[in-house]
Amino acid sequence: MDIILLGAPGAGKGTQAKVLEERSGLVHVASGDLFRAALRQGTELGMLAKSYMDRGELVPDEVVIRMIVERISRPDCRMGVIFDGFPRTLEQAEALEQELQHHDRRIDRVIYLKVPEQVLLRRIAGRQTCKTCGATYNIYYFPSKRPDICDLCRGKLYQRNDDNLETARHRLEVYFSQTMPLIEYYTQQNSMVEVDGQREISLVTDIMLQSIGINGDNAEKQV
Ligand code: AMP
């Protein structure tokens, strides 16, 4: 089973994808995480991506597509993938479809996490991530117990370069102009469900699980 999580930056895709991955056995593939990992490793791909990410612009389609095609060709993705942050343009969506077709696969479900713009801005600008374990917090909605220290591993919390208010605003503009058309695209394909991303995190998880055929709390793996 292959699933796309669609939604603006700050809609909660990453948070939900981690839970879905645990519950479904599918592999979470987040294009933004792949770029950040490439950057940490100092690769050419990472350096190239950084120049776009820091400005809140999209990395060119051919670069993203090549990276994703390579990632999903690995054995761990054979049973299915939760795509997070990809596709972001129609060209990426078409490339993904073609690539899956080569392997007799298709997108089974697109889950659109809908959140109003003013909430998105606060969510992005308040976001903090643990340098050590990757846990995420939000200074407005879900602060760590001690400022800037991870509750789970005591690692240091940091703010992503592109999570400042100015870049966040631009990322949202880019999302509305370049990624929103995908909502229409997938609606026409009848593969999309819309979920209110402002509801409680665990409730959103349950609705998402149900939409891919897994019961809410304590569900057996069924995918
Ligand atoms: P994210 O972590 O999904 O918010 O992505 C962070 C940044 O990585 C974005 O603002 C883009 O610069 C870049 N990026 C991630 N995914 C894509 C994509 N599918 N297409 C183009 N750029 C992307």
Side-chain angles (χ1 to χ4, degrees):
M1 180 181 253
D2 291 287
I3 300 166
I4 293 173
L5 298 190
L6 201 59
K13 300 187 299 295
T15 304
Q16 293 296 340
K18 286 189 189 106
V19 187
L20 287 191
E21 181 178 45
E22 274 169 28
R23 300 286 291 274
S24 68
L26 303 172
V27 172
H28 175 204
V29 172
S31 41
D33 288 350
L34 293 176
F35 286 133
R36 282 183 288 276
L39 184 59
R40 277 196 301 276
Q41 288 156 14
T43 67
E44 218 171 286
L45 173 70
M47 302 307 276
L48 173 74
K50 180 177 163 53
S51 61
Y52 293 93
M53 291 165 87
D54 283 352
R55 285 180 283 127
E57 297 286 346
L58 293 187
V59 177
D61 283 335
E62 65 274 16
V63 176
V64 191
I65 291 167
R66 209 178 323 124
M67 175 180 76
I68 292 289
V69 166
E70 191 281 321
R71 176 64 189 90
I72 66 177
S73 69
R74 294 195 211 155
D76 63 330
C77 291
R78 228 179 16 225
M79 299 305 288
V81 171
I82 302 163
F83 292 95
D84 163 7
F86 180 92
R88 264 174 154 99
T89 64
L90 281 171
E91 192 172 336
Q92 291 178 19
E94 284 163 5
L96 177 61
E97 229 163 81
Q98 273 178 20
E99 180 59 24
L100 290 176
Q101 254 170 32
H102 287 151
H103 303 277
D104 282 330
R105 282 157 62 173
R106 66 188 165 86
I107 293 298
D108 296 283
R109 184 60 88 219
V110 179
I111 305 175
Y112 168 38
L113 270 177
K114 191 173 181 185
V115 175
E117 190 173 349
Q118 55 293 11
V119 178
L120 290 170
L121 265 183
R122 263 171 89 81
R123 281 195 186 180
I124 301 174
R127 187 153 62 183
Q128 288 188 310
T129 309
C130 173
K131 265 200 165 113
T132 311
C133 74
T136 48
Y137 299 85
N138 188 291
I139 57 170
Y140 303 115
Y141 300 108
F142 176 53
S144 56
K145 293 198 180 82
R146 289 171 55 199
D148 304 329
I149 304 284
C150 179
D151 292 349
L152 302 177
C153 74
R154 302 196 172 271
K156 196 161 169 40
L157 303 183
Y158 75 100
Q159 189 185 42
R160 272 169 48 177
N161 268 354
D162 58 348
D163 275 351
N164 64 75
L165 205 53
E166 194 188 333
T167 313
R169 279 210 178 91
H170 187 57
R171 284 163 66 203
L172 287 178
E173 280 166 21
V174 168
Y175 167 78
F176 287 116
S177 64
Q178 302 199 50
T179 306
M180 281 288 268
L182 290 182
I183 291 165
E184 181 61 29
Y185 178 78
Y186 288 119
T187 303
Q188 279 176 7
Q189 293 189 0
N190 275 331
S191 52
M192 203 181 80
V193 287
E194 184 177 307
V195 180
D196 178 356
Q198 276 193 284
R199 303 178 84 166
E200 213 180 290
I201 292 178
S202 60
L203 190 60
V204 173
T205 308
D206 279 354
I207 298 170
M208 291 172 85
L209 285 168
Q210 278 163 18
S211 78
I212 57 169
I214 300 179
N215 291 325
D217 261 346
N218 308 313
E220 298 281 318
K221 286 183 182 175
Q222 294 178 12
V223 181

